[in-house]
Amino acid sequence: MPRAGILAAQPALRFIPPQYSRWVHRLCRAALPMLLRSRGLVHFETSGSESLAALFAEAQSGRCRLLIAFRHPSTTDPLVMAQLLWREVPRAARAAGLSLKAPVHSQFLYDRGIPLWAGESAGWILSKLGGIPIQRGKLDRLALKTARDLFAHGPFPLAIAPEGATNNHGELLSPLEPGLAQMAFWCCEDLAAAGRHERVLIVPIGLQYLSTSDDWGPIDRLLGCMEDLLGPSTTSPMATSNMASSPLPADPDQAQQQRYERLIALSERLLSLLEGFYQRIDGAPRTPAGEECAPAADFLERLSRLREQALAVAEAHFQLSPRGTVSERCRRIEQAGWACIYRDDLDDLSEVQRCLVDWSAREADIRMGHMRLVEHFATVSGSYVVEKPSIDRYGEVLMILWRAIAWIRGREEERPPALGPWRVRMVVAEPIDVGESSTAYRSDRRGAVERLTAELRQRLEAAIG
């Protein structure tokens, strides 16, 4: 597994207050085309930008408050949302004869962990763009209070990714977290308490990244690259190497069948290596005897078992109970690890105490690594490619495997072979008027949040369907 990135305990994580700066916004807007090109994003298809422009006009005139709920398939999504709000919406407004006050912008929630791996400069930029950092996996009261206040009283709409994290699938929606619906109902309460009558609208935004080419060459080269990294299967040492070295059949159907067999073999090889690793590591639940080499038909069961083993190692170290969804368990492990690493008592420790705390921080970082591994495979379904064997779906699954392998090798910064360029499809769905559910919220809060979340899920699924 990767070496610990943390060598000593760190000062407690501080809240980075949003401090919107118009000149930083202008600099980022000027740099946006270059940033998009660097990610291979060359074409943008927008559906519904006119309706979003009209909603911004309503919001700017004080008739509504907007909560933008965008899909989160990629780490590139913030750049795409900037393209939508900073360029596509003003362009649609001009075409429709609407006069929008500059800047057309939104404040947003982001994971407090981003500045930890992207650097303090990333935190500074996000703050100057009005970003609100939130610590996932705990009740971050300060972040929630700040977001709630800005949503009801701030100068811009608020944007949230209801999936909570990237899922790396363009046509598969992860479970939605209930926090977005709760934020919408809070805004209704705050407006009513202030005697204001704006509508509260949730605007679902679908995002998808689609290949601009029908060339399977980059997919086949990436398959070959990862086959070299993983080595031949122990159950069939020649199978993978023979498929990798032999030319693809001329018949398209036969070529697709061989490509799929290589993907399955690659996935099984990685799974087998990780199963062997967790059979030898302390704290991991043991696979029952005779089940080490389960047949391919049990791939999903094996993957689920592997997730359980990895999470159990981390949970045992932090003395956490294994309850909730995979995502919820990951967030609790992250918070337990951060509590060991980022501390507010460092100045009060003796030299020996500080050494022990540093040791504890390194151990916590290593144990969190098992949770990070699970995060890489959290959205793998096992049937995504076979249901629709497109270049896009192959690319998405291969990129999940590539990032997992790069992480295991300790080379997260290594860029994978390019599969782009890409075109981006942005769909603005019909907004949801939260006021229609606010009466039900007063009598059944949990039920109203669940129903609003389900309605949002339906509209996001329709936007990527």
Side-chain angles (χ1 to χ4, degrees):
M1 301 294 279
R3 293 179 298 173
I6 296 294
L7 300 179
Q10 308 291 318
L13 292 176
R14 64 180 180 85
F15 180 72
I16 307 173
Q19 298 176 326
Y20 175 77
S21 168
R22 191 154 186 165
W23 72 266
V24 173
H25 181 185
R26 287 174 177 170
L27 286 177
C28 291
R29 189 177 186 279
L32 182 61
M34 177 187 67
L35 294 173
L36 292 170
R37 286 194 300 271
S38 72
R39 300 296 185 95
L41 307 179
V42 298
H43 182 67
F44 298 89
E45 302 172 2
T46 309
S47 173
S49 56
E50 302 85 357
S51 63
L52 185 55
L55 290 174
F56 262 89
E58 282 195 52
Q60 290 183 352
S61 65
R63 297 196 299 272
C64 70
R65 304 298 298 179
L66 300 181
L67 182 53
I68 299 173
F70 64 95
R71 275 235 50 220
H72 202 7
S74 168
T75 55
T76 309
D77 299 339
L79 296 179
V80 173
M81 287 300 297
Q83 171 72 16
L84 176 63
L85 299 185
W86 298 353
R87 296 184 179 275
E88 303 295 332
V89 169
R91 186 181 296 126
R94 289 192 296 270
L98 293 172
S99 178
L100 294 182
K101 293 179 288 187
V104 176
H105 185 57
S106 74
Q107 298 192 261
F108 51 92
L109 286 178
Y110 69 92
D111 177 17
R112 179 60 180 86
I114 290 177
L116 301 181
W117 56 262
E120 291 185 4
S121 59
W124 184 85
I125 291 173
L126 292 171
S127 169
K128 296 304 179 183
L129 290 175
I132 306 157
I134 187 166
Q135 293 191 41
R136 303 178 298 176
K138 77 169 193 176
L139 185 60
D140 192 339
R141 296 182 184 277
L142 182 54
L144 291 173
K145 180 179 183 299
T146 303
R148 178 174 179 172
D149 181 68
L150 286 172
F151 182 24
H153 310 292
F156 305 114
L158 181 65
I160 300 176
E163 291 166 284
T166 57
N167 81 344
N168 304 297
H169 289 82
E171 299 176 277
L172 183 67
L173 190 65
S174 294
L176 304 189
E177 297 182 354
L180 184 142
Q182 181 63 73
M183 188 68 67
F185 284 125
W186 280 342
C187 187
C188 290
E189 288 183 332
D190 294 343
L191 294 177
R196 293 162 54 186
H197 304 287
E198 296 104 308
R199 293 190 300 160
V200 177
L201 303 177
I202 298 175
V203 187
I205 308 287
L207 302 181
Q208 289 177 291
Y209 301 84
L210 307 169
S211 175
T212 62
S213 169
D214 57 1
D215 179 13
W216 285 89
I219 297 291
D220 296 329
R221 287 191 289 273
L222 184 53
L223 274 168
C225 178
M226 288 193 286
E227 286 165 346
D228 290 341
L229 289 171
L230 290 174
S233 169
T234 55
T235 57
S236 180
M238 299 300 295
T240 302
S241 59
N242 283 345
M243 282 193 292
S245 58
S246 61
L248 286 169
D251 180 81
D253 292 336
Q254 293 181 2
Q256 193 66 273
Q257 178 62 28
Q258 186 181 111
R259 189 175 289 116
Y260 184 69
E261 291 173 359
R262 290 176 67 188
L263 176 62
I264 292 298
L266 181 73
S267 303
E268 295 241 343
R269 175 60 175 152
L270 178 58
L271 185 56
S272 295
L273 290 173
L274 290 171
E275 286 172 333
F277 172 79
Y278 279 102
Q279 281 295 305
R280 298 186 296 272
I281 194 168
D282 291 338
R286 293 291 177 255
T287 301
E291 295 186 14
E292 287 82 2
C293 297
D298 294 334
F299 178 82
L300 287 181
E301 181 181 342
R302 293 171 62 196
L303 181 59
S304 176
R305 190 166 58 208
L306 177 66
R307 291 174 181 146
E308 186 61 37
Q309 289 174 319
L311 289 174
V313 172
E315 288 169 337
H317 177 80
F318 295 115
Q319 299 181 347
L320 298 172
S321 60
R323 55 185 173 82
T325 65
V326 169
S327 177
E328 290 168 345
R329 293 169 71 183
C330 286
R331 298 289 71 77
R332 282 199 301 275
I333 292 169
E334 181 178 65
Q335 283 301 317
W338 281 7
C340 293
I341 296 169
Y342 302 100
R343 306 172 61 108
D344 57 9
D345 62 349
L346 297 181
D347 293 337
D348 302 325
L349 301 178
S350 68
E351 183 175 351
V352 173
Q353 286 175 316
R354 177 59 191 260
C355 291
L356 292 174
V357 164
D358 290 343
W359 189 0
S360 176
R362 290 194 294 271
E363 287 284 342
D365 190 44
I366 292 172
R367 297 299 176 173
M368 287 170 67
H370 299 281
M371 176 271 292
R372 299 296 181 203
L373 181 64
V374 171
E375 286 185 319
H376 283 291
F377 297 111
T379 58
V380 175
S381 68
S383 60
Y384 188 63
V385 169
V386 72
E387 291 172 354
K388 182 180 176 182
S390 64
I391 286 181
D392 299 317
R393 291 199 177 193
Y394 264 93
E396 290 163 10
V397 171
L398 284 174
M399 290 307 298
I400 291 173
L401 297 176
W402 172 271
R403 292 188 183 99
I405 293 170
W407 182 84
I408 292 170
R409 297 167 65 219
R411 299 186 181 182
E412 289 181 276
E413 75 286 349
E414 187 174 312
R415 299 193 70 173
L419 298 181
W422 307 97
R423 58 189 175 93
V424 183
R425 179 183 296 157
M426 300 173 282
V427 177
V428 180
E430 186 73 18
I432 302 171
D433 192 330
V434 183
E436 297 174 358
S437 307
S438 58
T439 302
Y441 175 75
R442 287 192 288 272
S443 59
D444 179 13
R445 298 197 169 206
R446 177 176 293 182
V449 167
E450 290 176 352
R451 288 189 293 273
L452 184 56
T453 301
E455 183 177 0
L456 173 59
R457 180 177 185 86
Q458 291 177 355
R459 300 205 184 189
L460 283 172
E461 286 179 335
I464 62 174

